[in-house]
Amino acid sequence: MGFSALVASALCTFLLPLLLFLAAVKLWDLYCVSSRDPSCPLPLPPGTMGLPFFGETLQMVLQRRKFLQMKRRKYGFIYKTHLFGRPTVRVMGAENVRHILLGEHRLVSVQWPASVRTILGSGCLSNLHNGQHKHRKKVIMRAFSRDALQHYVPVIQEEVSACLARWLGAAGPCLLVYPEVKRLMFRIAMRILLGFQPCQASPDGEQQLVEAFEEMIRNLFSLPIDVPFSGLYRGLRARNIIHAKIEENIRAKMARKEPEGGYKDALQLLMEHTQGNGEQLNMQGLLCSPNQEKQLDMEVLEQLKYTGCVIKETLRLSPPVPGGFRIALKTLELNGYQIPKGWNVIYSICDTHDVADLFTNKDEFNPDRFMSPSPEDSSRFSFIPFGGGLRSCVGKEFAKVLLKIFTVELARSCDWQLLNGPPTMKTGPIVYPVDNLPTKFIGFSGQI
């Protein structure tokens, strides 16, 4: 082969792909610039859009909070990026988030990534809009009223007490608490929300549901490609396992006239409401007492003010989800920038907590900061662990009750030591401890 042939071969092998890549990058830049609304005089927020077609999704998925912190340091409280196949503006800070959350149905509307919509289903509350969302939320809130929560308290306390007894009786120098807590919370959810009784789920069957739920959550934010072994495929398969079990439970409930266990679970309340109003129950739309001296109820729990502050401080430092997704219904102005119509908007919960001027010594765990005055009263969008506005989490009061009961039972039943010290937390997509929290427990008897 002659010299000219070698040069031509080298050009085809190395130079041509490079030129094609550079051309793609240039076209990508032009596309990103052209998506700006020319009728609005304001500039787009600062930021980068990443690689052609892929955007910055891979960096965000792999680096998570490290990637987001780098972006915040470089671009501030509002910046543009390209995530999950769409141009996106990420927003943080109480005033900016307030503008987004209070603009629901007027400036923005909920729109989660395609993989989330596919796995959760179009009938899920988080995917409904306008009147449908308002009606469905009103129905679901019946299952989280104060009266309903009062009925749930003894069941939660029973499960927590039994779990702590197992932990104290476990052999070995330590217990990996995080997977154990996940199993406990899932078991409580199955009983309280879906009416599963302990005898209905064998350990193997319960573990299968726990693993299916974790697999579904793990693959919520994945590429919207439903092929074998893809994240979306695995997420849908896990969802179908859970749906099959719930459907089996619904059939059993419809065959019974009276609820088991002496209380009505959330699913029972929703079934009664939908049947009483002649509505159909859409599967994708739902998702022995302790001794009297230890009995908790809503009145007692509401008096535990400092316990509530401990829970709030925990949620401030580690909110359960990092943020929420919206889509701009029209080109809107935010803090000197434009967000074009059709762009995704992500409001950040964790970053909003991090940058809130309301909190001093932000890295310090200090429940006293929530004693008085309450941050929610003076600046309610500085503290948004459950979101805010029309789409705040429907189960937030249930979550607070559950966390209070767990905290009380843990504090009066045993002492404990985190063997690795304060945990390192990661997000994927929910917050979790990297080391699974190896813990040593020491039992004692105590009162509230």
Side-chain angles (χ1 to χ4, degrees):
M1 183 182 294
F3 178 75
S4 59
L6 287 173
V7 171
S9 177
L11 288 174
C12 291
T13 304
F14 300 107
L15 187 58
L16 185 59
L18 177 61
L19 291 174
L20 289 174
F21 176 75
L22 293 175
V25 170
K26 185 62 177 177
L27 290 172
W28 180 251
D29 288 340
L30 291 173
Y31 158 75
C32 294
V33 172
S34 65
S35 60
R36 177 185 176 277
D37 185 346
S39 66
C40 178
L42 297 176
L44 290 171
T48 55
M49 305 296 267
L51 295 172
F53 312 113
F54 292 101
E56 297 183 314
T57 305
L58 293 178
Q59 297 100 302
M60 198 276 287
V61 170
L62 294 175
Q63 298 177 341
R64 295 287 179 181
R65 198 155 190 175
K66 181 181 178 182
F67 169 80
L68 298 176
Q69 288 173 339
M70 178 272 292
K71 286 285 188 179
R72 187 179 84 198
R73 285 194 301 268
K74 190 170 184 180
Y75 299 114
F77 291 4
I78 304 175
Y79 60 83
K80 68 175 184 286
T81 178
H82 200 282
L83 299 173
F84 305 106
R86 295 187 64 85
T88 300
V89 173
R90 198 160 186 274
V91 173
M92 66 199 74
E95 281 305 309
N96 294 329
V97 169
R98 173 184 169 278
H99 194 74
I100 296 300
L101 291 179
L102 296 186
E104 187 74 31
H105 304 321
R106 180 173 53 87
L107 300 177
V108 299
S109 181
V110 69
Q111 178 160 300
W112 292 88
S115 58
V116 178
R117 300 197 303 272
T118 302
I119 292 174
L120 295 185
S122 59
C124 177
L125 181 65
S126 63
N127 290 329
L128 295 179
H129 298 86
N130 300 315
Q132 281 187 317
H133 174 264
K134 183 178 180 180
H135 172 70
R136 182 68 59 79
K137 184 173 182 178
K138 184 178 179 181
V139 172
I140 292 177
M141 287 302 294
R142 292 166 57 90
F144 298 107
S145 67
R146 190 181 187 280
D147 288 341
L149 293 174
Q150 176 65 59
H151 290 296
Y152 303 157
V153 169
V155 182
I156 298 173
Q157 190 176 9
E158 177 187 338
E159 287 289 348
V160 172
S161 298
C163 180
L164 290 171
R166 288 194 299 271
W167 292 1
L168 289 168
C174 75
L175 190 75
L176 294 178
V177 170
Y178 180 61
E180 290 291 328
V181 167
K182 283 196 296 184
R183 183 168 184 140
L184 167 64
M185 296 303 168
F186 193 80
R187 186 179 179 88
I188 290 172
M190 286 197 298
R191 286 193 65 183
I192 294 295
L193 303 181
L194 303 177
F196 283 71
Q197 295 302 313
C199 60
Q200 286 180 259
S202 65
D204 290 342
E206 183 179 296
Q207 184 61 28
Q208 181 190 30
L209 284 174
V210 172
E211 291 173 356
F213 180 75
E214 290 178 347
E215 182 77 357
M216 185 182 76
I217 295 299
R218 190 161 45 243
N219 291 288
L220 273 180
F221 295 91
S222 55
L223 293 175
I225 304 173
D226 185 11
V227 297
F229 308 111
S230 69
L232 182 59
Y233 176 87
R234 294 195 299 270
L236 286 170
R237 185 176 60 181
R239 182 205 67 184
N240 291 339
I241 292 172
I242 297 171
H243 277 196
K245 193 63 179 176
I246 296 174
E247 197 166 350
E248 176 186 325
N249 197 46
I250 289 177
R251 290 197 188 98
K253 281 181 177 296
M254 296 179 87
R256 294 194 303 265
K257 291 187 177 180
E258 294 296 329
E260 293 184 2
Y263 76 98
K264 293 182 180 181
D265 55 74
L267 182 58
Q268 187 77 34
L269 290 171
L270 296 179
M271 286 174 61
E272 289 180 0
H273 176 81
T274 52
Q275 290 168 349
N277 288 276
E279 301 172 11
Q280 279 196 321
L281 190 67
N282 189 304
M283 286 299 302
Q284 292 182 335
L286 302 175
L287 254 188
C288 304
S289 301
N291 295 330
Q292 279 300 319
E293 68 269 20
K294 291 188 174 183
Q295 186 73 46
L296 295 173
D297 57 28
M298 287 299 295
E299 185 176 355
V300 172
L301 292 174
E302 287 165 353
Q303 293 171 2
L304 301 177
K305 301 298 184 183
Y306 196 76
T307 303
C309 293
V310 170
I311 291 169
K312 288 179 181 178
E313 181 69 343
T314 302
L315 293 172
R316 181 187 72 83
L317 288 168
S318 297
V321 294
F325 284 75
R326 300 290 187 269
I327 186 171
L329 296 176
K330 60 182 180 181
T331 297
L332 57 103
E333 300 179 3
L334 186 63
N335 204 14
Y337 299 109
Q338 68 158 280
I339 301 179
K341 177 182 178 180
W343 279 40
N344 277 354
V345 181
I346 299 178
Y347 73 90
S348 173
I349 293 175
C350 53
D351 284 314
T352 296
H353 289 182
D354 286 348
V355 303
D357 293 332
L358 192 66
F359 304 124
T360 58
N361 301 319
K362 296 181 176 64
D363 294 332
E364 176 186 344
F365 184 84
N366 178 21
D368 288 342
R369 72 173 83 243
F370 282 94
M371 286 298 287
S372 181
S374 172
E376 295 109 312
D377 295 334
S378 57
S379 182
R380 60 192 175 112
F381 290 97
S382 293
F383 178 69
I384 48 170
F386 298 105
L390 297 176
R391 290 187 176 272
S392 61
C393 177
V394 294
K396 62 182 179 182
E397 296 305 321
F398 172 70
K400 292 175 185 177
V401 167
L402 196 160
L403 290 171
K404 270 193 177 181
I405 294 174
F406 179 80
T407 303
V408 168
E409 291 297 321
L410 181 66
R412 70 181 178 184
S413 300
C414 59
D415 197 3
W416 66 92
Q417 178 186 3
L418 294 176
L419 299 183
N420 290 345
T424 299
M425 307 300 289
K426 280 199 169 184
T427 304
I430 60 175
V431 177
Y432 67 95
V434 174
D435 64 354
N436 278 330
L437 293 182
T439 307
K440 180 180 179 180
F441 289 93
I442 304 168
F444 60 82
S445 298
Q447 299 295 325
I448 295 180

